[in-house]
Amino acid sequence: MTDEERLIKLKSIYEKDYENLEEDLQIVISTQIDNFEKINSFYKLYDEQRTNFENEVLKLFAKAKKYFQHYIMALSMAIDREEFSESTAEYYGLKYPFEIPDAKDYEEFLLKAKKLFEDDQKRIANGGKHFTNPSIATVKVYVEKFEEKYLEFQSFIKARIPKIEDIEVMRQTADKLILEITGENSDETNLSTKNDKSQTKSSTCQLSLDFDD
């Protein structure tokens, strides 16, 4: 049973059977509803933040990869036009004619981009001409923007792993309440009325929403 399903069942009990329940059990159910509303809101907010972060990273990755590939394409077309010799490709670990490198993995892309910058620097140091459409400086700008956001996202994941204190205790308590009152998964309904003392204690769980450091 998910936490959202627990909340739905608890609310259903509260709405349908509230008047028939003992006062202490009413308090327990009300507290559990409050707990699971906070839990669901907490995870919803975290998921929204993570999704927004992931979308930003993905957009910057696509942009950076496009500029990276266009730079390699510029090299290929320059060789096609005989503006550069075929041996120029060897600076980049390529053999003309070559396919434009691709990378679907973020880490793989950053390694390839780093190698491109190093290889291009060697070529220029040996008297090679700069490409202008796009320039290597422009490629670096978009790669660095992507890397900065990607590393920021990685830090977000490591530092903000959601942790809810005593979550398993609350789940067990909620499941016990649901089973006792609705009789789900049981042959008999154990609905506790004001004339039938409940076996469920009215103690409440403390809800602490926090992140791992």
Side-chain angles (χ1 to χ4, degrees):
M1 187 186 305
T2 67
D3 292 333
E4 187 171 356
E5 289 172 336
R6 288 184 176 93
L7 178 59
I8 291 172
K9 290 180 182 295
L10 288 168
K11 282 185 173 181
S12 177
I13 292 170
Y14 188 88
E15 292 170 0
K16 295 178 180 179
D17 301 316
Y18 183 79
E19 295 298 330
N20 296 322
L21 300 176
E22 285 189 333
E23 184 177 353
D24 62 343
L25 194 51
Q26 290 174 347
I27 295 172
V28 173
I29 294 173
S30 179
T31 301
Q32 288 295 309
I33 289 174
D34 182 59
N35 283 347
F36 281 95
E37 281 181 338
K38 289 179 181 178
I39 290 169
N40 289 337
S41 295
F42 175 76
Y43 279 116
K44 182 179 179 181
L45 177 60
Y46 176 81
D47 288 341
E48 287 176 354
Q49 291 176 331
R50 176 169 180 148
T51 298
N52 290 336
F53 232 133
E54 287 177 332
N55 288 338
E56 287 185 64
V57 171
L58 188 59
K59 287 179 182 178
L60 289 172
F61 173 61
K63 190 89 170 185
K65 187 167 72 167
K66 184 178 293 183
Y67 274 87
F68 167 83
Q69 291 180 321
H70 283 186
Y71 194 82
I72 304 297
M73 288 171 63
L75 168 65
S76 179
M77 289 187 289
I79 296 175
D80 285 343
R81 295 191 299 267
E82 298 183 351
E83 296 174 7
F84 291 87
S85 66
E86 293 184 7
S87 62
T88 305
E90 295 175 5
Y91 278 102
Y92 304 90
L94 301 170
K95 184 175 182 181
Y96 182 82
F98 51 81
E99 293 183 358
I100 305 302
D102 191 13
K104 295 182 179 180
D105 179 79
Y106 295 158
E107 297 288 347
E108 179 188 2
F109 170 72
L110 288 173
L111 288 174
K112 287 185 176 182
K114 181 180 178 181
K115 183 177 184 303
L116 170 66
F117 301 146
E118 292 173 349
D119 294 341
D120 196 74
Q121 188 174 19
K122 291 177 184 177
R123 181 179 67 81
I124 298 301
N126 285 327
K129 297 180 180 179
H130 288 280
F131 297 137
T132 58
N133 191 25
S135 68
I136 196 67
T138 302
V139 178
K140 283 183 178 179
V141 166
Y142 285 102
V143 170
E144 287 172 358
K145 283 183 178 181
F146 158 69
E147 183 176 22
E148 181 180 1
K149 183 60 66 174
Y150 172 63
L151 293 177
E152 189 179 342
F153 176 60
Q154 291 295 95
S155 296
F156 170 83
I157 295 299
K158 292 177 181 178
R160 295 177 64 82
I161 299 174
K163 177 182 68 177
I164 300 178
E165 185 179 348
D166 295 330
I167 181 66
E168 290 305 322
V169 174
M170 283 186 282
R171 286 169 176 161
Q172 292 172 11
T173 300
D175 290 348
K176 182 180 179 182
L177 280 168
I178 292 168
L179 175 62
E180 178 180 347
I181 296 171
T182 66
E184 290 187 7
N185 300 322
S186 176
D187 293 334
E188 296 182 2
T189 299
N190 296 317
L191 177 61
S192 298
T193 66
K194 292 179 179 179
N195 295 321
D196 179 18
K197 188 173 180 60
S198 170
Q199 296 300 313
T200 304
K201 296 182 180 179
S202 59
S203 59
T204 60
C205 298
Q206 292 297 318
L207 180 61
S208 173
L209 303 183
D210 200 358
F211 293 102
D212 283 336
D213 295 325

